[in-house]
Every structure is written in C-alpha cells, then in structure tokens.
Amino acid sequence: RTTATIQEMAANKSKATKKKKRISKHVLKANAERAKQAIINGSKGNDNESNDNGVDLAGLQKNNTKATTPKKKIASKKRSKHVKDPSEASTYLKLWEQHKKHGTDWKFNKNTQSWLIRHMYESDKVAKATFSLLLEYLSGLEGDVTKKRMRTDASRRALRYKEYEKTNASDVGNENTTTQKNEEGAASNTAADEGSNGKDNRDTDEDIDDATRWKELDDHDKRKGYKRARKILELVTVA
C-alpha cells in the first residue's frame, strides 16, 4: 500500500509538471505578444510625444500641413485657367436663341457668359456669326457692373486702334465718315469718364495676354477687333 501511494504521488507530480510546462509555453507566448504590442504602442506614443518645451510636435506638424495646403491650392488655381471649347460657347448661344424664340430648354451659365465676354474680340474663338448672336444676347444683360466693364474695355480697345492707326504708315480702311467721327468721339468721352478709374479691376495676367496678342495681329485683324469694339459701345451706350 505504501508503494502504491508513492507511485500515485509520482504520477500526480508528473502530470502537474506537464501541465506546468504547457502553461509556461502559453505564458511565454502571451508575454511575447504583450512585449510586441508594447513596442508598437511605444512607437505610436513617440509620434504624439512633446519636446523638452512641452510642445506637441505631431500636432504642430499636422497644423502646418493644414495651413500650407490652402496656399498651394490657391497658387495652383491662379496658374490654371479653364480652357473652353469655342463650339461649347457657340452652342450655348444657339440654345439661348431657341429658348427665346420657341421656349425650349436652356440653362444660364455664368462661366460661359464670362468666357464669351472675355474672348468676344478674338475671331478665332468667337466667330462672326457667334458674335452677332452674342450682341443680341448681351442686349438683354441687366448687370450694371458687367456693362460698365464692357464699356470701359471697348473704349480702351477702340482708342488703342486709333492710336495705332495714327502711328502706322499705312492707312487702314480710310473710313472718315461723320458716323465714325461721332462714334470715336463717344469712345473718347467714355474712356475719359471711366479710364481714370483704372481698368475696372481687370486681371493683370489678362492684360498682358491681350497686349501680347494685339502685337501679333495683322492690320486686318486689328481692324476687325476695332469694329467689334464699336458695336459693343453702341450696345452698352444705349439707354
């Protein structure tokens, strides 16, 4: 009986030892996982830690990123200009004409209207037929600010051409009728009244582009732009 008891105790000890070993492996594995997680948490903590002066470095970096991003967007926005297909602007006016005559669907687009006004002196972008339709469209324009800007711009272009004609050796067109003199007088008076106020906040880049384009035009295209400016003056001076 004593021997059996000793053997039973030895067996129980052996089972306990095996159980202890199994628990030890599990504990080691758990400890290893905890150590790994501690390292990960430690690295995250370093991202949010403060320097010796108590400043949140990560927070500053995040705020600096937010502060600089809008500036980059604004800068890139200034550099990039929307390029519109001239046919898109022409279609816009044709749809407007159909809407006016037959009540068909048409939707006002301020960007397209602005593009047409900005480029209406460029025959390669606004064809003759499109310009004629644009004059009809602009006759119903109600914005006083836009009309004033159009009048100032047309006056500037008309006077620029007359100065060019005076300094140019060749006589372009040679139109010296009473009607033209009256229109030139109206252009001069308008420019005198409004020119002192600058260019009505015109964008400097657009002025540079326009001056560059003007120099590249031949006499015929310069004359064409002058005639369009006179028509715009007639339109915005009425009423």
Side-chain angles (χ1 to χ4, degrees):
R1 186 179 293 177
T2 303
T3 303
T5 302
I6 293 172
Q7 289 178 350
E8 185 179 353
M9 291 175 61
N12 291 335
K13 185 177 181 181
S14 178
K15 291 179 181 179
T17 303
K18 289 181 180 180
K19 186 175 181 181
K20 185 178 181 181
K21 287 182 180 180
R22 282 196 297 270
I23 295 174
S24 296
K25 288 180 180 180
H26 176 72
V27 172
L28 289 173
K29 186 176 180 180
N31 288 340
E33 287 296 327
R34 280 197 293 270
K36 182 178 179 181
Q37 191 64 36
I39 293 173
I40 294 173
N41 293 336
S43 63
K44 289 182 179 179
N46 290 335
D47 291 339
N48 297 321
E49 67 181 358
S50 301
N51 61 7
D52 294 338
N53 295 323
V55 180
D56 187 351
L57 299 178
L60 282 176
Q61 185 178 4
K62 187 175 181 180
N63 291 334
N64 288 336
T65 303
K66 289 182 179 179
T68 55
T69 300
K71 293 181 180 179
K72 291 180 180 178
K73 287 183 179 179
I74 293 172
S76 61
K77 198 171 183 180
K78 286 183 178 179
R79 293 190 214 104
S80 61
K81 291 184 178 180
H82 176 63
V83 180
K84 185 180 289 293
D85 188 344
S87 63
E88 181 183 343
S90 177
T91 301
Y92 172 79
L93 289 176
K94 290 177 181 177
L95 290 174
W96 168 81
E97 184 182 33
Q98 292 299 314
H99 170 74
K100 183 180 178 182
K101 291 181 178 179
H102 308 293
T104 54
D105 291 338
W106 173 80
K107 186 177 181 180
F108 171 73
N109 189 312
K110 186 175 182 179
N111 290 333
T112 302
Q113 176 180 287
S114 299
W115 186 93
L116 283 164
I117 294 174
R118 188 163 54 249
H119 297 286
M120 61 185 173
Y121 298 103
E122 303 173 42
S123 57
D124 57 329
K125 294 181 179 178
V126 179
K128 185 177 181 179
T130 304
F131 181 74
S132 297
L133 190 54
L134 177 62
L135 288 176
E136 186 179 350
Y137 173 87
L138 293 175
S139 64
L141 198 64
E142 297 180 355
D144 292 336
V145 175
T146 303
K147 284 184 178 179
K148 181 180 179 182
R149 180 168 180 171
M150 286 169 55
R151 184 166 57 247
T152 302
D153 188 35
S155 300
R156 176 182 64 84
R157 290 174 184 274
L159 291 175
R160 178 175 64 180
Y161 177 78
K162 297 313 293 181
E163 288 298 323
Y164 164 80
E165 193 177 36
K166 288 178 183 179
T167 57
N168 193 13
S170 61
D171 186 10
V172 183
N174 196 23
E175 291 184 328
N176 293 318
T177 62
T178 303
T179 302
Q180 179 181 342
K181 289 180 180 179
N182 292 336
E183 290 169 343
E184 291 169 6
S188 299
N189 293 334
T190 304
D193 293 338
E194 299 174 357
S196 59
N197 294 327
K199 297 181 180 179
D200 198 16
N201 296 326
R202 286 177 58 83
D203 185 70
T204 304
D205 292 338
E206 289 182 10
D207 289 342
I208 295 173
D209 291 342
D210 178 63
T212 302
R213 178 181 173 277
W214 165 259
K215 291 179 181 179
E216 296 173 351
L217 295 176
D218 57 22
D219 290 345
H220 177 70
D221 287 334
K222 282 183 171 69
R223 179 72 178 174
K224 192 184 297 184
Y226 168 65
K227 288 181 177 180
R228 290 192 177 190
R230 283 169 49 188
K231 290 182 178 179
I232 292 297
L233 280 173
E234 291 175 3
L235 179 69
V236 296
T237 302
V238 174

